Amino acid sequence: MYAALLKHEARLQARPLLSFLGIALAVFAGGLAAMLLRVPLLAEFGNVAAIIVCLLLAVGVPAHLLHRYYTSMYGREGYLTHVIPAKHTALYAAKFTWAAGVWAASLLLTLALAYGIAVAQTITAGGTASDTWAALATALANANQTALALGIAWIAVGLLTYVAQFGWVVTFGMEDRFRSLGLGGPVVVWFVSYLVMQVVTFAAMVLIPVGVTPDFSELVFASFLGELPKAFANEDPSFIPLSWLPVILVALPVYVIWTLHSLK
């Protein structure tokens, strides 16, 4: 049933996503072509157009996925979804997998397009595409590998957490207790959850004494409370707190379990 639901999700969303992608790539190609013509005003316009496409991909795809989740679960298609003879776990797993996969693909595509903009900018300035690749390879080689690995892991976990959070916000926000608010229910739930997460994250940074030096060479077992005056004074703290990581790692399963409970 999970595979069938996933295929059904793909059939419903493939056409609008491909249409959006086709238009975005066409505008992006036009922007790059304008940049490569090296006409000053036209090149600047093409650069802005290409950057806007990247921003729209980064924001538009998750917005579409969020809208589709609401529409298919609680909008006009909600009744058809809930009469499918499938367990709530299979239904949620299919939607979660599809959303996470599409969102991840859109982020990778955005990075590829951003690299294309960098290549076009280099060529416009008189360089070559190989110059851009050499600069990127050098930057990656000189980067702190531990920080780079942690950054990639943080992006991956963060993406899964956001998918779970958006699903929970809509599902919990559309329960009977919030029905009178309509779409205001998910909005209120998101706002309250955002405030709670900020408070919990700040409390974890103060109460859990663990961090890492700015060069990621050594762990520091100290509360970040003593570093707050430096942060407020726009000074660089002596270490970076890592206590927010457990908050994200705990939030992910909490969102998933709570959403499944609400769906059931």
Side-chain angles (χ1 to χ4, degrees):
M1 181 58 74
Y2 165 77
L5 290 171
L6 193 58
K7 292 179 182 178
H8 179 66
E9 203 73 24
R11 283 195 298 268
L12 288 176
Q13 299 191 37
R15 180 173 295 180
L17 282 172
L18 289 176
S19 299
F20 175 70
L21 179 61
I23 295 173
L25 291 180
V27 174
F28 182 82
L32 288 191
M35 293 174 65
L36 296 175
L37 289 176
R38 301 186 182 182
V39 178
L41 185 59
L42 188 61
E44 292 178 5
F45 176 79
N47 185 39
V48 172
I51 292 174
I52 289 176
V53 168
C54 291
L55 294 176
L56 287 178
L57 277 175
V59 176
V61 171
H64 166 78
L65 294 171
L66 179 62
H67 174 262
R68 280 301 309 163
Y69 181 80
Y70 165 77
T71 302
S72 65
M73 295 293 284
Y74 306 103
R76 295 191 305 175
E77 303 171 21
Y79 176 78
L80 296 176
T81 299
H82 289 291
V83 297
I84 294 175
K87 292 183 178 180
H88 63 290
T89 51
L91 182 63
Y92 178 77
K95 291 187 175 296
F96 187 98
T97 303
W98 172 260
V102 171
W103 197 348
S106 71
L107 289 179
L108 292 176
L109 178 60
T110 301
L111 289 176
L113 296 183
Y115 176 76
I117 294 175
V119 171
Q121 290 174 341
T122 302
I123 294 175
T124 302
T128 63
S130 60
D131 294 335
T132 307
W133 177 255
L136 177 61
T138 300
L140 291 176
N142 294 333
N144 186 299
Q145 299 304 308
T146 302
L148 186 61
L150 287 176
I152 294 174
W154 177 80
I155 292 174
V157 175
L159 186 145
L160 296 177
T161 303
Y162 275 123
V163 172
Q165 182 186 27
F166 289 156
W168 170 76
V169 163
V170 174
T171 302
F172 184 63
M174 292 304 294
E175 285 190 350
D176 289 339
R177 70 189 79 186
F178 302 114
R179 275 291 181 177
S180 60
L181 299 177
L183 283 176
V187 173
V188 170
V189 170
W190 176 85
F191 182 73
V192 173
S193 66
Y194 173 80
L195 293 179
V196 171
M197 283 296 294
Q198 296 304 308
V199 172
V200 172
T201 302
F202 179 79
M205 290 172 59
V206 173
L207 298 176
I208 302 177
V210 61
V212 65
T213 54
D215 60 356
F216 287 83
S217 62
E218 184 179 355
L219 288 176
V220 177
F221 297 96
S223 172
F224 195 69
L225 184 61
E227 300 294 318
L228 288 179
K230 294 182 181 179
F232 289 130
N234 292 325
E235 300 178 8
D236 293 332
S238 60
F239 69 93
I240 302 171
L242 295 179
S243 47
W244 51 269
L245 283 172
V247 176
I248 295 180
L249 295 176
V250 171
L252 176 57
V254 167
Y255 284 136
V256 171
I257 293 172
W258 200 338
T259 303
L260 289 173
H261 175 74
S262 186
L263 283 174
K264 185 178 180 180

